[in-house]
Amino acid sequence: MTLIDGAAALEIEAPSHAIPSKLQEGQQLVVTAKPNFDVWRRNPVWKVIRSSAGEGQPEVQVLPEIGPLELSRQKVAAEFGIGPKPIRNLEDIRPTEKIGNVVVICGQDAQVLADFKRGLHEGDRKLRVSVKAVEAHIQGTRAVDDISSKLKNLKSSDADAVIIIRGGGSYADFSVFDERDLIEAVVQCQVPVVTALGHSEHVPLAARAATANFAVPYDAGASIRKENSKRYFDGQPSYADLKIENQRLNEEEKIWRAHTKTSEGLLESLKRDLDLERIKNEEAQDQCIIAQKSANELHQQTYRDCLTIALQSIRLKSTINGLWWSLWTTLIAFVSFSSGSLSTGSAVLITVIAALWTGLTFTGGYRSRRILESQTWRTLSMGEDLRWVRRSLQGASSPRDLRWVLKRKIEIEHPRSR
């Protein structure tokens, strides 16, 4: 029964004998509230008792845990194992991941959905949580079947959580959330259920059976936002930890700076030593180049001396051999002309041949000098591996020997030119 007095409405559960079976229009029923009725405390459970004055007027007092409806609610709560207090946190919804996709079951009141979204995205221009609104009857005779069917049709892949929201209402409007069918749908739903049913001292069984319950839609949205933020920063060091770590890093930086200064001093010392070694190395290279040039000049001079000695030797041997061949030519000419067996032509031919060979022998030194002047023999270097040239030049006795030695030297030093 609902008693209305101006803007205040008082819902009363009472035994039938405490209230007249028939009330006519205009008939007044006087009810005394004890303690006095507070219009801001909506939807309490009241019990009618007899007046202590014995005047026949019933009294009412607040007994929230007594009455037929409360007894029925306690029975259903025991059947489904529902705790006495609702859960106020979202830790059991995707514990290791972000809550990024939610389905909102609400009525046609756009303001309720706007309050939920405002709490969900307050101060954040980027919508980080996807919201899918589903309209349903949230009060009246069709509310239980409508909400239950929508909860049963949800799959675990459809959303991270389903939110049932409303903007409050009378005690009678909340009775649908104590129905056994709706509670069963909440418990068996594959998606975690969160409720935000409005300001009320009365917490329905469906809210206590849900994964989490909040007083108003704004609180539900804000809680999801804070839970996501908490999970984002979960495992991150706190300000105190960062401060301690910063101090430790500063101490390490001081130590490393001291080590760096020491290392820089050692590096400068090593650079100076390296510069000194480089200078010494350059001086040694210069001395080596000078010594190499001196050795090359000495080898070249030795080579030229060997050529000069070989030329003088060939000239001497050519002169000696020319004298011997001159004597033999004179003897051959005397024998040829004095002998009567040879004709004059034959004697002249033999004498000319001997004279030509004698002239060729006498000109050996001249031809050797022409060989050296006509070729670049003197510009060739005398390497360490060509010491045999000296012995070969010392054994040369003719221009042919000299030419063979020099060609052999070129073939050894320049194999590609062969």
Side-chain angles (χ1 to χ4, degrees), residues 296-314:
N296 291 336
E297 291 177 358
L298 180 60
H299 292 160
Q300 193 71 16
Q301 184 62 36
T302 302
Y303 179 61
R304 288 195 293 268
D305 293 342
C306 289
L307 291 177
T308 302
I309 293 172
L311 181 60
Q312 296 296 333
S313 176
I314 291 172

Side-chain angles (χ1 to χ4, degrees), residues 144-383:
V144 175
D145 294 338
D146 199 5
I147 298 175
S148 299
S149 63
K150 287 179 170 53
L151 292 177
K152 292 178 181 179
N153 292 332
L154 286 176
K155 299 180 181 179
S156 58
S157 59
D158 293 340
D160 298 332
V162 54
I163 319 294
I164 303 175
I165 61 174
R166 56 170 290 164
S170 64
Y171 181 85
D173 295 336
F174 275 91
S175 62
V176 297
F177 295 99
D178 289 323
E179 294 292 335
R180 187 182 183 281
D181 293 340
L182 180 57
I183 297 170
E184 184 178 3
V186 171
V187 173
Q188 296 179 358
C189 184
Q190 299 182 20
V191 180
V193 179
V194 180
T195 59
L197 305 178
H199 297 279
S200 177
E201 293 181 358
H202 169 58
V203 180
L205 292 178
R208 287 158 55 183
T211 304
N213 172 65
F214 301 95
V216 292
Y218 176 85
D219 293 344
S223 181
I224 294 175
R225 171 169 50 83
K226 293 177 181 178
E227 182 66 23
N228 284 340
S229 178
K230 176 185 175 182
R231 294 179 184 183
Y232 176 80
F233 291 103
D234 188 24
Q236 300 292 333
S238 62
Y239 174 78
D241 295 336
L242 292 175
K243 186 176 181 180
I244 295 173
E245 182 67 15
N246 187 37
Q247 292 176 354
R248 186 184 66 81
L249 292 176
N250 289 335
E251 294 296 331
E252 290 185 358
E253 183 182 5
K254 291 179 181 178
I255 296 173
W256 281 110
R257 282 183 178 180
H259 290 171
T260 302
K261 289 182 179 179
T262 304
S263 301
E264 288 178 353
L266 293 175
L267 182 60
E268 292 296 330
S269 177
L270 290 176
K271 285 183 178 180
R272 289 193 296 269
D273 295 341
L274 182 61
D275 292 338
L276 293 176
E277 291 296 330
R278 187 182 294 109
I279 294 172
K280 291 180 181 179
N281 187 25
E282 291 176 355
E283 293 177 353
Q285 288 181 355
D286 294 339
Q287 293 177 359
C288 181
I289 293 173
I290 293 173
Q292 187 176 4
K293 288 182 179 179
S294 300
N296 291 336
E297 291 177 358
L298 180 60
H299 292 160
Q300 193 71 16
Q301 184 62 36
T302 302
Y303 179 61
R304 288 195 293 268
D305 293 342
C306 289
L307 291 177
T308 302
I309 293 172
L311 181 60
Q312 296 296 333
S313 176
I314 291 172
R315 284 178 177 176
L316 179 61
K317 290 180 180 180
S318 297
T319 301
I320 295 173
N321 291 334
L323 292 175
W324 278 105
W325 278 107
S326 296
L327 180 61
W328 278 103
T329 300
T330 302
L331 181 60
I332 289 172
F334 177 76
V335 172
S336 298
F337 284 104
S338 63
S339 175
S341 61
L342 295 174
S343 61
T344 303
S346 297
V348 171
L349 179 61
I350 293 173
T351 302
V352 170
I353 292 173
L356 289 176
W357 183 255
T358 300
L360 184 63
T361 303
F362 267 118
T363 60
Y366 172 76
R367 287 186 288 110
S368 296
R369 184 172 61 82
R370 291 294 302 271
I371 289 172
L372 296 179
E373 290 178 353
S374 62
Q375 302 293 337
T376 58
W377 311 113
R378 290 182 177 273
T379 60
L380 296 176
S381 61
M382 182 178 177

